């Protein structure tokens, strides 16, 4: 039977969406898609270059188009860009699947970003230090992440997070 829903992993940069998404998709025997990677492939440039050339609003427009396109086939695990929850149209797409918020504290997120910054992946949103930006962005978006989520998973290692995510999927079989 063809699955029509998706499993969406949401949360800020460095919360583990890609690592958890790949492992979860492998366990479920389905495809994993990272919306940031799909975006880069679609536009032919990294996110920082796209934002510099076109601005944040154009980025958010293309990000929404990427999410809609990647969610259409169904039956996938989709790791979403950190700001995907900012637009109502994206939240409507997420609501058609199972949404798991991978929650981590600001200090842990900043530590992960400083250890592996991937500067070209996403430019600064505020121009502030990594730690200050993470705190500010998380404070502004936490209610959106929590409002979209069917479940919140926090404070687990990779294997523990994947096991909890599998349990969430089993809780909502009609949505995947």
């Amino acid at each position: 039977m063809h699955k029509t829903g998706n499993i969406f992993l949401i949360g800020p940069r460095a919360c583990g969406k890609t690592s958890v998404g790949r492992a979860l998709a492998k366990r479920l025997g389905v495809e994993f898609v990272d919306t940031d990677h799909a975006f880069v492939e679609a536009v032919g440039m990294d996110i920082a270059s796209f934002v510099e050339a076109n601005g944040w609003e154009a980025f958010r427009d293309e990000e929404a188009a990427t999410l809609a396109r990647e969610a259409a086939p169904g039956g996938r695990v989709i790791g979403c860009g950190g700001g995907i929850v900012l637009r109502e149209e994206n939240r409507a797409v997420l609501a058609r699947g199972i949404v798991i918020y991978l929650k981590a504290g600001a200090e842990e997120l900043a530590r992960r970003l400083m250890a592996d910054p991937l500067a070209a992946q996403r430019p600064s949103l505020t121009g502030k230090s990594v730690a200050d930006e993470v705190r500010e962005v998380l404070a502004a978006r936490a209610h959106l992440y929590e409002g979209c989520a069917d479940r919140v998973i926090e404070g687990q290692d990779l294997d523990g997070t994947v096991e909890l995510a599998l349990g969430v999927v089993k809780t909502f079989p009609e949505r995947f």
Side-chain angles (χ1 to χ4, degrees):
M1 182 169 153
H2 178 70
K3 296 178 185 332
T4 57
N6 294 292
I7 300 163
F8 298 101
L9 303 178
I10 62 170
R13 287 189 293 167
C15 71
K17 297 177 302 268
T18 301
S19 298
V20 171
R22 284 186 179 131
L24 179 60
K26 184 175 181 180
R27 291 280 304 271
L28 292 168
V30 300
E31 182 180 7
F32 171 72
V33 176
D34 180 297
T35 61
D36 284 346
H37 295 155
F39 175 98
V40 168
E41 189 174 304
V43 302
M45 65 175 76
D46 64 56
I47 292 172
S49 298
F50 185 90
V51 170
E52 185 176 331
N54 302 288
W56 278 105
E57 195 63 25
F59 167 73
R60 294 293 178 207
D61 290 343
E62 186 61 35
E63 179 182 57
T66 300
L67 176 63
R69 183 176 57 251
E70 296 302 329
R76 295 171 152 183
V77 174
I78 300 177
C80 299
I84 216 127
V85 297
L86 295 172
R87 286 205 171 167
E88 189 171 332
E89 67 191 282
N90 294 340
R91 294 191 301 269
V93 171
L94 297 175
R96 295 193 303 257
I98 299 170
V99 183
I100 300 171
Y101 169 25
L102 300 180
K103 187 174 182 178
E107 294 76 22
E108 176 61 16
L109 294 169
R111 184 193 66 73
R112 292 176 188 176
L113 285 168
M114 288 187 278
D116 186 17
L118 295 170
Q121 185 178 1
R122 188 62 59 92
S124 173
L125 294 166
T126 64
K128 297 180 179 180
S129 73
V130 171
D132 288 342
E133 178 171 288
V134 166
R135 276 191 292 279
E136 186 174 308
V137 170
L138 193 56
R141 294 180 183 171
H143 73 284
L144 293 170
Y145 293 136
E146 290 177 11
C148 289
D150 292 302
R151 293 288 188 276
V152 177
I153 297 175
E154 182 177 14
Q156 300 286 321
D157 62 9
L158 179 61
D159 291 336
T161 301
V162 171
E163 286 301 319
L164 289 172
L166 286 167
V168 173
V169 173
K170 290 176 184 170
T171 304
F172 299 100
E174 72 285 357
R175 289 174 52 197
F176 179 62

